[in-house]
Amino acid sequence: MATTFIDLIQAPLADAFNRPITYLRVSVTDKCNLRCVYCMPEEGLQWLRREDVLRYEEIVEIVRAAAAVGVRTIRLTGGEPLVRRDLDRLVRSIAAVPGIDDIALSTNALLLEEQIPALVDAGLTRVNISLDTLRPDRFEAISRRPGLDRVLRGIDAAIAAGLGPVKLNCVVMRGQNDDELADFAAMTKERAIYVRFIEVMPVHENLGLQAETYVSSEEILERVATIGSIAPVPGPPGNGPARYFAFDGAPGAVGVISPLSHDYCERCNRVRLTADGRLRLCLFGDQHVDLRTPVRAGATTEDLAAMLRSAMFIKPERHHLKLGEASSQMRAFSEIGG
Ligand code: SAM
Ligand code: SF4
């Protein structure tokens, strides 16, 4: 039988290097209620104008097209996604899109405790929580705002709501929190928590900090192994770029995410939608396609799916980041959607 246009757009999305693309990260806002030192300056960024930010209905149109070409997981991120009003309304609409079977959230958890019941009821399936320190004074120094107690309550609320095991994302900085590696790792011996240590990535705002505080994943693992022997494990389901290790008999695991020292590009399965509607093909590159203009001009699901498919040709094979350098086009991490 002849291949029709519909058959073509329904074939699963893959890029020019035959990597299946099944994961879409959606930044719902560029704003945040914290100012983490590695992410954005104290005064914040030049925020997007309200009318430039995609409305929930527009995001859902793009998700529908992505699902039609094989995307199965949506991760809501930001900025801080929980500062956008009624996020559960977006979750509910995405959960109703045929083909989407996993809706995850990346959050700093300041507002999680009060929102988790509505989010889970709407269809949220997983949560990743950022936590760089277990000490209140350091929390305030690193994120330039108080709130550790709220984050810890958010973690407990997520587990109580059935979203465990949660993944904790911890950006490791020498001299700022690297002496807490063992404390974080020890939590995985007691609780079904996946602690993921992330190497600081370079963005224009943090180049000095990144060069001074960078700790490689290999060093992180060596230091974790000082409190017990660890062995590689498969890790939790969920599309992440982390490599996981566990202590013998532990309910949780330690993961490392190493964009610089251990390139994960060959396993890349993802693209990103920025809050202002650009499809970004690589976290570290400027290759992008504007989807806001067509979606506002009434593009159909088929039109958008075809745009997603052609965008695959500009997804680069890998990034070429080096320690102490930022890509020439790169702005703050949060601007590109975490
Ligand atoms: N606000 C949410 C949060 O903090 O989880 C979601 C957005 S945030 C940009 C997503 C993740 O990116 C967080 O885990 C954060 O720690 C991480 N991140 C931000 N800037 C980073 C950097 N320069 N290097 C490494 N990780 C970074
Ligand atoms: Fe906000 Fe997340 Fe960036 Fe911290 S890492 S400033 S919580 S967007």
Side-chain angles (χ1 to χ4, degrees):
M1 202 170 31
T3 306
T4 66
F5 176 69
I6 293 293
D7 293 331
L8 263 185
I9 65 165
Q10 282 174 347
L13 208 55
D15 71 3
F17 307 97
N18 277 328
R19 292 173 296 195
I21 304 299
T22 56
Y23 184 115
L24 175 66
R25 295 179 70 101
V26 176
S27 174
V28 298
T29 178
D30 56 336
K31 298 200 177 69
C32 189
N33 46 1
L34 294 180
R35 293 287 184 275
C36 302
V37 288
Y38 47 74
C39 180
M40 54 171 92
E42 168 104 66
E43 64 279 12
L45 301 168
Q46 176 142 26
W47 308 120
L48 292 169
R49 295 181 311 172
R50 197 190 167 98
E51 62 268 30
D52 289 338
V53 173
L54 288 183
R55 292 189 291 275
Y56 285 164
E57 294 68 22
E58 294 166 341
I59 293 175
V60 174
E61 282 310 308
I62 294 169
V63 167
R64 196 181 306 287
V69 288
V71 166
R72 296 290 165 257
T73 297
I74 302 295
R75 175 170 295 280
L76 301 175
T77 178
E80 171 48 41
L82 297 184
V83 301
R84 183 145 176 197
R85 195 175 305 165
D86 301 331
L87 192 70
D88 59 300
R89 191 163 64 79
L90 177 64
V91 171
R92 192 172 299 282
S93 304
I94 291 176
V97 172
I100 298 299
D101 50 28
D102 189 18
I103 307 175
L105 174 74
S106 283
T107 174
N108 63 29
L110 278 188
L111 301 172
L112 191 58
E113 187 184 25
E114 58 255 45
Q115 294 194 30
I116 198 84
L119 290 167
V120 171
D121 185 59
L124 188 74
T125 46
R126 290 186 294 128
V127 64
N128 286 9
I129 295 173
S130 293
L131 182 61
D132 303 323
T133 175
L134 300 168
R135 303 185 194 179
D137 55 330
R138 281 194 182 171
F139 183 94
E140 199 159 339
I142 293 173
S143 55
R144 302 199 187 95
R145 301 276 193 279
L148 177 63
D149 51 335
R150 287 162 70 191
V151 177
L152 296 177
R153 288 206 306 274
I155 294 171
D156 289 340
I159 295 172
L163 292 192
V166 297
K167 294 181 191 163
L168 297 186
N169 286 343
C170 174
V171 177
V172 180
M173 290 168 286
R174 196 180 300 285
Q176 301 204 23
N177 64 352
D178 63 325
D179 56 347
E180 294 184 62
L181 286 171
D183 296 343
F184 271 103
M187 286 164 48
T188 70
K189 291 182 174 180
E190 309 298 329
R191 301 183 80 180
I193 284 180
Y194 291 80
V195 174
R196 296 150 23 115
F197 295 118
I198 308 179
E199 296 177 350
V200 191
M201 293 184 248
V203 297
H204 281 321
E205 282 77 0
N206 79 2
L207 275 189
L209 171 100
Q210 201 258 347
E212 281 162 26
T213 64
Y214 175 78
V215 184
S216 73
S217 291
E218 298 317 318
E219 179 179 339
I220 292 169
L221 288 174
E222 275 166 28
R223 291 171 65 175
V224 167
T226 59
I227 62 159
S229 65
I230 47 172
V233 289
N239 305 291
R243 292 177 287 143
Y244 287 96
F245 302 83
F247 296 108
D248 200 21
V254 173
V256 283
I257 301 183
S258 351
L260 282 150
S261 66
H262 199 279
D263 201 347
Y264 54 63
C265 300
E266 65 197 36
R267 289 180 288 135
C268 187
N269 64 346
R270 62 198 53 205
V271 290
R272 297 175 155 74
L273 182 65
T274 64
D276 59 352
R278 284 169 295 140
L279 184 78
R280 291 194 71 122
L281 283 307
C282 174
L283 175 58
F284 298 108
D286 190 42
Q287 299 84 355
H288 68 270
V289 173
D290 167 31
L291 294 180
R292 187 184 64 198
T293 306
V295 90
R296 288 191 177 170
T300 63
T301 304
E302 286 75 18
D303 295 337
L304 292 168
M307 286 171 212
L308 291 171
R309 194 169 290 295
S310 31
M312 291 301 109
F313 291 104
I314 58 166
K315 184 167 171 61
E317 185 173 15
R318 54 180 48 255
H319 71 71
H320 298 280
L321 271 189
K322 295 200 184 71
L323 187 57
E325 279 179 14
S327 127
S328 60
Q329 303 295 337
M330 201 153 161
R331 290 248 359 260
F333 198 85
S334 49
E335 186 257 351
I336 54 181

